[in-house]
Amino acid sequence: MPEMEAGRTAYFEGNYVPTEDAQVSILTHAFNYGTGLFEGIRGYYNSEEDSVLIFRLREHIDRMVRNFSILKMDIPESSEELERVCVELVKRSGFREDVYIRPICYKNDRILAPKLTGVGSKFCCYVIKLGDYVDVSGLDVGVVSWRRLSDNAIPSRAKTTGSYVNSALASDEAAQAGFDEAIVLREDGSVAEGSAMNLFMVMDDTLITPPPSSDILVGITRATVMELAREEFGLDVVERAVSRTELYVCDELFFCGTGAQIAPVRSVDRRLIGSGGTGPITKKLQDFYFEVVQGRVEKYRHWCTPSGQSH
Ligand code: PMP
């Protein structure tokens, strides 16, 4: 993967600064202990409007702010201000292509102990260009030996920076074994998700996905898929524990996430899913999703926040 191409401006310690000047000290708590909480948000460039449409900005900021309580975080910016920072950075980037926004709240005090109470936090944010993160035409994936971190070890519902060691171990093992992506199981052997994406099976026209109690990151794309499946296509959606071998025998399988978007899985552990192509339900959800994120479906336009690009 090429190095990230960042917008010229970042938000750091309460100010808009050149991205190269946004630097933390090696003494920072979050750098030492992974005590950061972040989001990943996509913006899609709409050329007719000459604007980047930021997808479900409110829901992303809301997830991060809700999870402050887990890490005992407190920052001066309100949720509305955090949203404004995201919009402003996209605008200042001047990018006229798809982008990815990375807000991070992190424990910044210089305190040796790995504790939470009384350790101060700050907010920073940057924007990068981002096209497709994974191939959206079909992935060959493998179940890896690493287990998904459990909610009672490192809370799986929170996007903490430290927890991405788990994702890195999983995706690295999958890549080294020749797969495009990983499927990660829980300690009890049931299915959790991909390395940084949720997962849906299609069985007899029903969508099945592991519930929040299965140590998943409760994805915003997952919620989007569930809503579109029910509302637009009248599909049943069931949240329940999923066994590994169900993946082998299901009709269709796909990943979803802000980065992954909707990405069909072609095979699991070298076993073809269905006929190996993109299944019909995955295809219609994927097509509709791309229309929605590009702001072309009026009903869901409220999910898209326009940045208005600067010249
Ligand atoms: N699981 C993990 C571990 C992730 O990092 C992500 C990406 N944020 C997802 C699932 C998908 O979540 P979302 O749809 O909110 O991006």
Side-chain angles (χ1 to χ4, degrees):
M1 224 175 224
E3 204 170 280
M4 302 191 282
E5 187 178 340
R8 46 184 176 262
T9 309
Y11 185 85
F12 183 65
E13 301 192 335
N15 299 302
Y16 291 98
V17 300
T19 302
E20 61 272 17
D21 294 347
Q23 312 229 5
V24 294
S25 158
I26 57 170
L27 302 180
T28 303
H29 198 270
F31 178 67
N32 285 265
Y33 300 120
T35 47
L37 195 55
F38 70 103
E39 272 303 323
I41 311 170
R42 261 191 193 269
Y44 292 86
Y45 181 60
N46 182 310
S47 53
E48 291 119 65
E49 299 175 26
D50 191 24
S51 190
V52 173
L53 303 177
I54 304 172
F55 191 60
R56 306 203 78 172
L57 173 61
R58 171 139 310 159
E59 289 81 356
H60 281 280
I61 296 297
D62 183 61
R63 177 169 66 187
M64 184 171 73
V65 169
R66 243 173 228 284
N67 287 334
F68 280 176
S69 75
I70 298 176
L71 289 191
K72 297 189 171 178
M73 280 182 159
D74 192 16
I75 56 164
E77 293 89 349
S78 65
S79 293
E80 292 69 32
E81 283 165 329
L82 299 182
E83 286 181 33
R84 267 201 299 278
V85 169
C86 293
V87 174
E88 183 63 23
L89 287 180
V90 171
K91 184 174 178 175
R92 290 190 189 208
S93 78
F95 289 152
R96 287 185 161 73
E97 52 200 287
D98 297 347
V99 303
Y100 185 80
I101 310 162
R102 172 52 60 79
I104 313 174
C105 288
Y106 59 103
K107 296 270 181 193
N108 72 306
D109 280 355
R110 299 170 182 198
I111 289 173
L112 185 67
K115 61 176 197 168
L116 299 175
T117 306
V119 186
S121 305
K122 288 248 189 289
F123 172 71
C124 67
C125 189
Y126 62 82
V127 175
I128 59 167
K129 289 184 184 177
L130 188 71
D132 288 342
Y133 173 76
V134 295
D135 187 349
V136 290
S137 64
L139 299 169
D140 296 309
V141 311
V143 173
V144 294
S145 65
W146 295 98
R147 292 297 180 251
R148 172 75 182 156
L149 42 82
S150 81
D151 199 51
N152 288 314
I154 296 181
S156 30
R157 73 189 52 262
K159 275 181 82 68
T160 58
T161 54
S163 65
Y164 280 75
V165 169
N166 189 237
S167 298
L169 290 166
S171 66
D172 184 74
E173 183 179 316
Q176 294 299 308
F179 294 113
D180 298 321
E181 236 319 310
I183 287 180
V184 189
L185 306 180
R186 303 170 62 215
E187 289 292 356
D188 72 359
S190 64
V191 174
E193 57 182 330
S195 68
M197 54 213 64
N198 296 117
L199 168 152
F200 282 86
M201 291 190 305
V202 181
M203 286 265 224
D204 301 326
D205 292 342
T206 297
L207 254 53
I208 301 167
T209 194
S213 55
S214 279
D215 295 327
I216 62 166
L217 188 278
V218 188
I220 288 159
T221 319
R222 176 181 178 276
T224 302
V225 166
M226 289 165 77
E227 186 166 341
L228 297 181
R230 288 178 173 136
E231 277 281 315
E232 302 301 320
F233 302 109
L235 295 167
D236 288 331
V237 183
V238 177
E239 294 177 78
R240 65 154 174 84
V242 171
S243 303
R244 174 181 187 159
T245 52
E246 287 187 278
L247 303 177
Y248 298 165
V249 300
C250 67
D251 299 329
E252 301 177 33
L253 187 64
F254 63 89
F255 282 131
C256 71
T258 298
Q261 306 177 103
I262 293 183
V265 173
R266 183 170 34 230
S267 69
V268 179
D269 294 341
R270 308 285 177 219
R271 290 159 172 90
L272 223 52
I273 306 300
S275 55
T278 301
I281 290 178
T282 306
K283 178 82 179 107
K284 55 186 188 189
L285 282 167
Q286 189 189 44
D287 288 346
F288 198 74
Y289 180 79
F290 283 125
E291 290 292 303
V292 168
V293 297
Q294 282 159 18
R296 302 193 206 286
V297 184
E298 202 45 49
K299 185 172 171 191
Y300 299 104
R301 186 64 200 201
H302 60 285
W303 284 345
C304 305
T305 305
S307 66
Q309 288 314 79
S310 64
H311 287 269

